[in-house]
Amino acid sequence: MAPKVATEFHVKLAHTAEDLRAAQRLRYQVFVAELGGTGLLVDHSAGLEQDALDPFCDHLLLIDIRTDRVVGVYRLLRPEKAQEAGKYYSQGEYDLTPLLASGRRILELGRSCLHPDVRGGTAMHQLWSALAQYVATYQIEILFGVASFHGTDIAALAEPLSLLHHRHLAPPELRVRASEKSFQNMDLIDEAELDRRAAMVQIPSLIKAYLRLGGCVGEGAYIDHAFNTVDVCLIMDTKQMSARQARMYGGIDA
């Protein structure tokens, strides 16, 4: 039997104020310093990307064992906590009525990011393995949340947005719709005229990973000028995952 390779990371939930600040510092590095985003509660002097929902959320932290620093985060908002907060983050961009009326237990995912040093390796898989355990613990049936394309040039994003619309639109019973105040039609290029390979190259790796897991998207994109992004709402029904996808998602053997 081959020896086990020691993992470079471990994952935990934030339990202290310092844990939360570590998550917010990484979010600042990625969303503000790297991608040019901003927000009402961003603290530039302290280097913290934060908002009013943070106290209501659980925060998964990916820790680099070698340096003991936070190198990945995922923010999770359960229904009971959203009720306390009065909203989900995604409700600022999408009409979530289909999900809220579904009668199924939902979980909002957000603020997912990795430090540049650990991108392209096993880091995201480690976060997803922990997320799978969280989903099982809280008996979550549907995962959802906004995911972003960098920049707000719609013409430059016409192919990937059109591909999402034609090939990955959510079923009607789960199909949330982008807010009319910043609704962006994604049906920009006829499917027959799409260069699917070129379109896939433009889709961010996080969105592609959700699609591989059986995820789908809501109707329309949302232009977020504050974060300098074009957002789509990703939805994943955990009951629709195949055995192969479950292994990829949870790091377990079927």
Side-chain angles (χ1 to χ4, degrees):
M1 180 181 294
K4 291 185 177 180
V5 178
T7 181
E8 301 174 34
F9 310 104
H10 74 89
V11 185
K12 70 174 186 177
L13 285 171
H15 292 296
T16 67
E18 179 50 38
D19 284 342
L20 178 56
R21 283 193 295 272
Q24 292 169 337
R25 279 194 293 270
L26 178 61
R27 283 161 37 181
Y28 185 93
Q29 292 172 27
V30 175
F31 296 127
V32 181
E34 181 180 341
L35 299 179
T38 187
L40 293 176
L41 298 182
V42 169
D43 186 336
H44 293 285
S45 60
L48 302 176
E49 192 282 304
Q50 54 194 355
D51 72 9
L53 287 176
D54 277 340
F56 299 93
C57 297
D58 285 330
H59 303 264
L60 275 180
L61 309 179
L62 182 73
I63 313 296
D64 187 327
I65 293 174
R66 298 163 299 182
T67 61
D68 199 35
R69 63 174 179 161
V70 173
V71 293
V73 297
Y74 232 131
R75 191 172 81 169
L76 316 174
L77 184 56
R78 289 179 277 126
E80 53 272 22
K81 291 297 185 178
Q83 187 171 16
E84 288 181 30
K87 64 177 181 179
Y88 288 98
Y89 177 85
S90 302
Q91 283 178 294
E93 302 187 7
Y94 281 82
D95 178 0
L96 300 183
T97 299
L99 295 182
L100 299 177
S102 69
R104 303 178 68 189
R105 188 156 171 79
I106 63 178
L107 176 71
E108 182 179 56
L109 309 179
R111 293 299 199 276
S112 172
C113 63
L114 295 174
H115 190 281
D117 290 351
V118 301
R119 293 174 193 166
T122 64
M124 184 55 74
H125 178 77
Q126 294 289 328
L127 270 176
W128 278 355
S129 294
L131 176 60
Q133 296 174 28
Y134 186 98
V135 164
T137 297
Y138 289 102
Q139 299 180 312
I140 301 301
E141 298 174 273
I142 296 176
L143 306 174
F144 74 99
V146 296
S148 303
F149 290 85
H150 181 53
T152 57
D153 183 352
I154 296 301
L157 298 173
E159 284 200 330
L161 291 177
S162 297
L163 179 65
L164 292 177
H165 175 84
H166 292 304
R167 299 285 186 91
H168 300 286
L169 200 60
E173 65 272 18
L174 298 177
R175 192 178 301 165
V176 303
R177 180 177 170 86
S179 170
E180 293 300 334
K181 68 180 181 180
S182 194
F183 181 91
Q184 171 59 54
N185 178 31
M186 296 198 299
D187 186 4
L188 301 169
I189 301 174
D190 289 340
E191 184 173 8
E193 298 176 8
L194 273 177
D195 182 338
R196 187 174 182 274
R197 184 181 298 274
M200 285 300 293
V201 167
Q202 286 187 267
I203 294 179
S205 57
L206 180 63
I207 297 178
K208 282 191 282 195
Y210 281 118
L211 299 179
R212 286 195 296 269
L213 293 169
C216 50
V217 299
E219 177 74 26
Y222 181 92
I223 303 174
D224 188 341
H225 293 287
F227 265 83
N228 189 33
T229 60
V230 172
D231 297 343
V232 295
C233 189
L234 286 161
I235 303 151
M236 188 163 66
D237 185 337
T238 60
K239 288 186 177 180
Q240 300 303 314
M241 294 167 64
S242 68
R244 179 186 63 82
Q245 290 166 331
R247 288 197 299 271
M248 185 195 312
Y249 177 67
I252 57 176
D253 291 325

